Amino acid sequence: MSHSRIHNFGAGPAVLPLSVVEEVQATLPNLSGSGFGLCEISHRSPTFQTVVDSAMDRIRRVLSVPDDYTILFLQGGASLQFYMTALNLLKPNEKADFLETGGWSKKAIREANRVGQANNIWSDSENGFRSVPNNSEYSVSEDSVYLHYTSNNTLMGTQYHHLPDSAGKPIVVDASSDIAGVAIDVSAHDVIYAGAQKNLGPSGVTLIILSPWALSRAKENSDLGNLPTMLDYTIHASKGSLFNTPNTFGIFVLDCVFKWLEENGGLEGAIARNRAKSSLLYEELDRSNFWSPHAKKSSRSVMNVTWRISDQSLESVFLKEAEEMGLGGLKGHREVGGIRASLYNGCTIDSVEVLVKFMRDFEKRHG
Ligand SMILES: *Cc1c(COP(=O)(O)O)cnc(C)c1O
């Protein structure tokens, strides 16, 4: 490659491990010696079936997915799952509870409201979404079918460090921006969904993990004729995610990323690396009043670190100088402003060290 890669802190699509990018590059003309290029092979071919099986097996191993749970690779992003989970799990007039912790959970609530009643049982909207709730701060409604939460709030830089209490109800989670980056008890959840483009691969493929309960609820709705074919979990499950043409490219990259995870200490390895990266950055942010971190300490995300510069007029200077130093993707989301460094699995500790060094230097010159 003639150009050098930047230190990529973008929120998504996000940096992938370089070895994965190179493996994908090598496969584009010829996948696994089949003679067919990666983007040119039938999803019905045995070669591609091997890729799907391998990706699902690796996900099962890395995330400890119980044998009786179903793994799906669908399209439409996490944004389609806002609607699709509700459509499959709720019957008309039924209720689900939602914890509103940022822009993505707001959207999940809006879409679920098209299907049934989405109860917003806790919101941090008034405080600018700086935290996620403790279990004692909300109560689950007696007549709700499930509890929905957003495990990591990509825009706000907040994250749960515990499993939300659902009072025994099934739990649905949007784990788009921390899946395979932090510990997760899959068996404690009934639907886990995640767009791949943060921690897992390219955009255009969505990982969905369903418990037997979730699939049985979908079956009831399917039998009632409530589900359009393409929005029916049971159809995709019965066809092993090959009901129609899936994102073949995306599924291959997903397999490569999970192989890379397995070769690099599995989920435990990823957790340790993400902890180390985020600690380094938060220590720097806490060192001086020059910086003003957004999230409440107990809710800080290890995946997306958000902050302002106390003198906000310096933020555009910071971003410009960072870019000149080869540090990219640091502009905060417009809902929070300021600066955001996304430290997904593909982001290396080297990149974070370069960022921290730049921050020290920037503070010296402008502080
Ligand atoms: C990025 C993101 C989404 C949206 O994902 P799409 O794949 O673009 O639909 C939803 N939820 C969270 C937590 C995200 O980070």
Side-chain angles (χ1 to χ4, degrees), residues 76-80 82 104 150 152-154 174 176-177 195 197-198 206:
S79 298
L80 180 58
F82 297 156
W104 294 120
T150 312
N152 182 72
N153 297 281
T154 324
D174 174 1
S176 292
S177 52
Q197 69 273 22
K198 282 37 183 278
T206 314

Side-chain angles (χ1 to χ4, degrees), residues 83-94 115-116 145-146 213-229 231-235:
Y83 182 63
M84 194 167 166
T85 49
L87 194 67
N88 279 264
L89 301 183
L90 292 181
K91 310 242 175 66
N93 304 319
E94 281 185 341
V115 178
V145 176
Y146 61 85
W213 173 83
L215 205 55
S216 74
R217 291 287 296 192
K219 174 96 174 42
E220 289 168 27
N221 269 314
S222 185
D223 290 345
L224 287 168
N226 290 343
L227 304 178
T229 307
L231 301 184
D232 184 336
Y233 283 143
T234 69
I235 298 273

Side-chain angles (χ1 to χ4, degrees), residues 110-355:
R110 193 182 315 144
E111 296 306 307
N113 254 326
R114 299 180 198 281
V115 178
Q117 190 181 320
N119 291 329
N120 185 341
I121 58 167
W122 188 88
S123 175
D124 193 32
S125 154
E126 278 169 22
N127 299 314
F129 293 117
R130 287 169 198 273
S131 64
V132 299
N134 296 322
N135 286 337
S136 58
E137 291 177 60
Y138 62 87
S139 22
V140 171
S141 324
E142 253 169 42
D143 56 351
S144 73
V145 176
Y146 61 85
L147 174 71
H148 178 287
Y149 75 106
T150 312
S151 53
N152 182 72
N153 297 281
T154 324
L155 319 181
M156 310 301 164
T158 62
Q159 186 174 35
Y160 290 84
H161 300 291
H162 64 278
L163 178 72
D165 181 12
S166 67
K169 307 256 182 192
I171 303 181
V172 175
V173 63
D174 174 1
S176 292
S177 52
D178 67 359
I179 185 120
V182 296
I184 183 168
D185 179 357
V186 173
S187 67
H189 294 81
D190 288 88
V191 179
I192 298 169
Y193 62 89
Q197 69 273 22
K198 282 37 183 278
N199 248 341
L200 304 179
S203 58
V205 59
T206 314
L207 170 64
I208 293 136
I209 303 175
L210 301 173
S211 74
W213 173 83
L215 205 55
S216 74
R217 291 287 296 192
K219 174 96 174 42
E220 289 168 27
N221 269 314
S222 185
D223 290 345
L224 287 168
N226 290 343
L227 304 178
T229 307
M230 280 298 289
L231 301 184
D232 184 336
Y233 283 143
T234 69
I235 298 273
H236 293 291
S238 71
K239 302 290 181 186
S241 290
L242 298 172
F243 167 71
N244 71 323
T245 320
N247 179 347
T248 51
F249 175 82
I251 293 170
F252 179 77
V253 182
L254 220 65
D255 184 44
C256 293
V257 167
F258 276 94
K259 181 165 80 178
W260 175 84
L261 278 168
E262 289 195 299
E263 290 167 355
N264 287 277
L267 186 59
E268 290 304 315
I271 294 168
R273 287 188 296 276
N274 292 333
R275 242 187 233 142
K277 285 182 286 180
S278 57
S279 299
L280 199 60
L281 187 47
Y282 282 120
E283 269 165 35
E284 187 59 23
L285 291 171
D286 288 336
R287 212 176 41 77
S288 145
N289 289 333
F290 185 76
W291 312 109
S292 169
H294 178 76
K296 199 172 126 188
K297 271 192 182 172
S298 55
S299 297
R300 283 177 169 178
S301 168
V302 304
M303 310 299 334
N304 309 95
V305 179
T306 50
W307 73 96
R308 309 290 312 232
I309 299 180
S310 298
D311 174 358
Q312 294 186 2
S313 69
L314 286 172
E315 288 170 351
S316 58
V317 186
F318 179 91
L319 293 169
K320 186 166 167 288
E321 285 190 16
E323 198 135 321
E324 285 163 8
M325 294 293 293
L327 298 156
L330 285 165
K331 192 170 164 42
H333 188 272
R334 60 188 178 280
E335 276 190 43
V336 181
I339 298 152
R340 167 175 58 177
S342 297
L343 311 179
Y344 301 127
N345 286 345
C347 170
T348 64
I349 189 114
D350 292 354
S351 287
V352 181
E353 281 167 357
V354 173
L355 172 61

